[in-house]
Amino acid sequence: MLMGEGVEWGLHCCMVLAWLDDHAPIATARLAEIFELPPEYLKKRLQPLVREGILDSTPGARGGYRLARTPERITLMDVVAAVEGRTEAFRCTEIRRRGAGASRAGSDFAKPCGIAKAMGRAELAWRRELEAQTVADLLAGTPANASKYTRSFYERVAT
Amino acid sequence: MLMGEGVEWGLHCCMVLAWLDDHAPIATARLAEIFELPPEYLKKRLQPLVREGILDSTPGARGGYRLARTPERITLMDVVAAVEGRTEAFRCTEIRRRGAGASRAGSDFAKPCGIAKAMGRAELAWRRELEAQTVADLLAGTPANASKYTRSFYERVAT
């Protein structure tokens, strides 16, 4: 059960787009250079973030990305959900109703299966942690010179 | 990011093996009938549980499975870890050190990346929920007649 690299890439790009907001829109090629990532692949990974209203994308030669809302209003869960979808990790296929369960009354299954309930509680605990953290929190926790280095790198490669 | 069906199958099999402990070992074919699952496929899904010391497997024509320890000592996390592995869902590949980060001092990266830390906290919250629930809790939360139906189904198909 693994997250795609799009989550790491997407969150780092959100941080960079916050630092470079006055230069926006930031071209895919520039974002890719900042992290030494393959541009075409990065573009694909950022598409779900555009679709979910986390990034704004401007087409054209002078186009690129900017944050679609403030860093305070983008949670880690928003980015994870955009990239990975909102489907719960555990899928209950109700095997309890089959075979030995097939002859039991439907009312025996009125309560959800304890396994599905426990999995749901665990997933909720996970989501709550990710909902409680925003891109603004990530920015606040980054060494002061990270923003400076990123800006000067960008200004060097973009001109 | 989806869990394999082996988690649902494995946990339901643990419950059934607890109910049928006095009949153990329970053959794969019988377990498969109880849930209308393909026996060969179920066998593969139970192998990691044997490997991780959750189930005991007895080979041979009269062989099968039994719980390797009491239901109180099998957590949901044990079963999820056996089936899915213990790798964290989020993999930090330290892209912050590349490109714009490449010229920064190594000491700038002494603290772990905030993204990885937040993901780790969320995963820990998820694990704690699953570690707090045992197969014994699942059994206690099941309608009283589930065990009875399973036993009478088993006694009918096994003889």
Side-chain angles (χ1 to χ4, degrees):
Chain A
M1 213 177 59
L2 296 171
M3 263 184 220
E5 66 211 345
V7 173
E8 186 188 20
W9 295 11
L11 281 167
H12 275 293
C13 285
C14 285
M15 292 171 74
V16 162
L17 291 171
W19 286 328
L20 300 178
D21 195 48
D22 53 330
H23 286 297
I26 310 296
T28 315
R30 297 291 89 73
L31 271 178
E33 275 175 292
I34 287 170
F35 296 113
E36 286 177 47
L37 294 172
E40 278 310 304
Y41 209 31
L42 175 60
K43 198 173 172 177
K44 275 205 187 110
R45 294 286 161 276
L46 296 181
Q47 273 164 6
L49 277 66
V50 175
R51 222 157 32 225
E52 294 284 322
I54 296 166
L55 303 184
D56 267 340
S57 159
T58 313
R62 298 179 145 264
Y65 302 94
R66 60 160 42 93
L67 293 184
R69 44 191 206 250
T70 61
E72 288 75 16
R73 292 188 53 231
I74 303 171
T75 70
L76 270 60
M77 192 64 229
D78 293 333
V79 174
V80 171
V83 175
E84 297 288 329
R86 293 188 183 271
T87 312
E88 293 207 359
F90 178 77
R91 285 162 298 177
C92 173
T93 64
E94 289 279 353
I95 63 168
R96 64 181 179 152
R97 292 174 187 251
R98 284 144 57 171
S103 58
R104 292 170 62 193
S107 58
D108 282 359
F109 304 109
K111 280 197 198 170
C113 176
I115 298 171
K117 263 165 60 185
M119 293 294 175
R121 266 199 307 275
E123 177 126 352
L124 194 63
W126 177 78
R127 280 174 194 264
R128 279 191 179 143
E129 285 287 338
L130 296 181
E131 280 160 3
Q133 285 272 317
T134 67
V135 170
D137 298 324
L138 294 176
L139 295 170
T142 304
N145 65 4
S147 153
K148 200 192 71 184
Y149 269 94
T150 304
R151 286 188 71 83
S152 67
F153 181 91
Y154 175 80
E155 284 159 9
R156 203 164 58 244
V157 298
T159 52
Chain B
M1 214 179 57
L2 295 171
M3 265 185 219
E5 67 212 344
V7 173
E8 186 189 19
W9 296 12
L11 281 167
H12 275 294
C13 285
C14 285
M15 292 171 74
V16 162
L17 291 171
W19 287 327
L20 300 179
D21 195 49
D22 53 330
H23 286 298
I26 310 296
T28 316
R30 297 292 88 75
L31 272 178
E33 276 175 291
I34 287 171
F35 295 113
E36 287 177 48
L37 295 172
E40 277 311 305
Y41 209 31
L42 176 60
K43 199 173 172 176
K44 275 206 188 109
R45 294 286 160 275
L46 296 181
Q47 272 164 8
L49 277 66
V50 174
R51 221 156 35 223
E52 294 284 322
I54 296 166
L55 303 185
D56 269 340
S57 157
T58 313
R62 296 179 145 264
Y65 301 93
R66 60 160 43 92
L67 293 184
R69 45 192 206 251
T70 61
E72 288 76 16
R73 294 188 52 233
I74 304 170
T75 70
L76 270 60
M77 193 63 228
D78 293 333
V79 174
V80 171
V83 174
E84 297 289 329
R86 292 186 184 274
T87 312
E88 292 206 0
F90 179 77
R91 284 163 299 178
C92 172
T93 64
E94 289 279 354
I95 64 169
R96 63 181 181 152
R97 293 174 186 252
R98 284 144 56 170
S103 58
R104 291 170 62 193
S107 59
D108 281 358
F109 304 109
K111 280 197 199 169
C113 176
I115 297 172
K117 263 165 59 185
M119 293 294 174
R121 266 199 307 275
E123 176 127 353
L124 194 63
W126 177 78
R127 280 174 194 264
R128 279 189 179 144
E129 285 287 338
L130 295 181
E131 279 160 3
Q133 285 272 317
T134 67
V135 170
D137 297 325
L138 293 176
L139 295 170
T142 304
N145 65 4
S147 154
K148 199 191 72 184
Y149 269 93
T150 304
R151 286 187 71 83
S152 66
F153 181 90
Y154 175 78
E155 285 159 9
R156 201 162 59 243
V157 296
T159 52

